[in-house]
Amino acid sequence: NRRGFLERAVHMNKENPDKEALIIFADLDHLKEINDCFGHMEGDFAIEHCASIIRTCVGEQGIVGRIGGDEFVIYMCKTESKERAVTRIQALADTVKNLSFAEMNGQHVTISIGIAFAPEHGTCYMDLYKNADTALYETKQNGRDGYFLFQKQDSII
């Protein structure tokens, strides 16, 4: 899926050379604990439902790939303001959080998200990919269950 996603993202980028873009990394929080406490079928159920929510949120404006067990990456040509994109991402996180599976005793699934916008966070796909991943880990370090926009670090001379 990683290679297929990369091929589609590069193609989409070439078809829309003048549009701004964003890459979003999303990671289900505590999937291992879900698997350990409730079984792998419940973990798979959580992944499938979160993937469906992500696809619905992205719609036709972007592409979604599952690049790891519980990691997703989204690439979108930006057709809306940065503020509207962030609002859409927050709605995604809230929708995932509202998932509650009876088999999990009412526990909720949460998601951590990292975001990088082009061109301010990079002009090539790999820079954006790396920066969105960096933002994701910032979200995780700040307690998970939320999102973080990549922040460029100024060089100190």
Side-chain angles (χ1 to χ4, degrees):
N1 203 346
R2 182 186 305 255
R3 187 178 71 216
F5 173 83
L6 177 60
E7 288 171 1
R8 290 177 61 207
V10 168
H11 180 73
M12 186 177 190
N13 192 44
K14 285 180 182 178
E15 287 185 340
N16 300 282
D18 296 329
K19 285 192 178 176
E20 296 177 325
L22 70 146
I23 290 185
I24 303 164
F25 262 63
D27 187 68
L28 296 183
D29 296 327
H30 308 292
L31 182 65
K32 181 180 179 350
E33 288 85 352
I34 293 170
N35 286 337
D36 290 349
C37 293
F38 305 105
H40 285 87
M41 286 183 66
E42 289 308 310
D44 290 348
F45 190 73
I47 290 169
E48 289 170 15
H49 277 72
C50 289
S52 177
I53 290 167
I54 291 168
R55 278 192 305 269
T56 299
C57 181
V58 171
E60 298 295 318
Q61 295 176 318
I63 56 174
V64 179
R66 182 172 169 211
I67 59 167
D70 59 352
E71 293 179 327
F72 297 89
V73 64
I74 302 158
Y75 179 79
M76 297 174 66
C77 288
K78 203 166 80 170
T79 59
E80 55 195 18
S81 70
K82 187 184 293 187
E83 292 77 19
R84 176 68 183 119
V86 169
T87 299
R88 180 190 297 262
I89 293 161
Q90 183 61 54
L92 164 66
D94 290 344
T95 303
V96 169
K97 187 186 258 185
N98 287 328
L99 283 177
S100 179
F101 305 111
E103 296 83 354
M104 292 171 46
N105 301 321
Q107 289 191 11
H108 295 272
V109 175
T110 60
I111 194 165
S112 295
I113 298 170
I115 309 160
F117 287 97
E120 60 262 43
H121 301 142
T123 54
C124 78
Y125 173 81
M126 289 312 293
D127 286 344
L128 288 170
Y129 186 93
K130 178 181 70 86
N131 292 338
D133 191 37
T134 298
L136 170 65
Y137 281 96
E138 188 70 30
T139 304
K140 289 181 175 190
Q141 289 179 343
N142 287 305
R144 301 181 187 204
D145 184 20
Y147 66 91
F148 190 81
L149 298 170
F150 178 76
Q151 300 289 315
K152 272 189 170 179
Q153 300 296 320
D154 292 327
S155 299
I156 298 175
I157 297 177

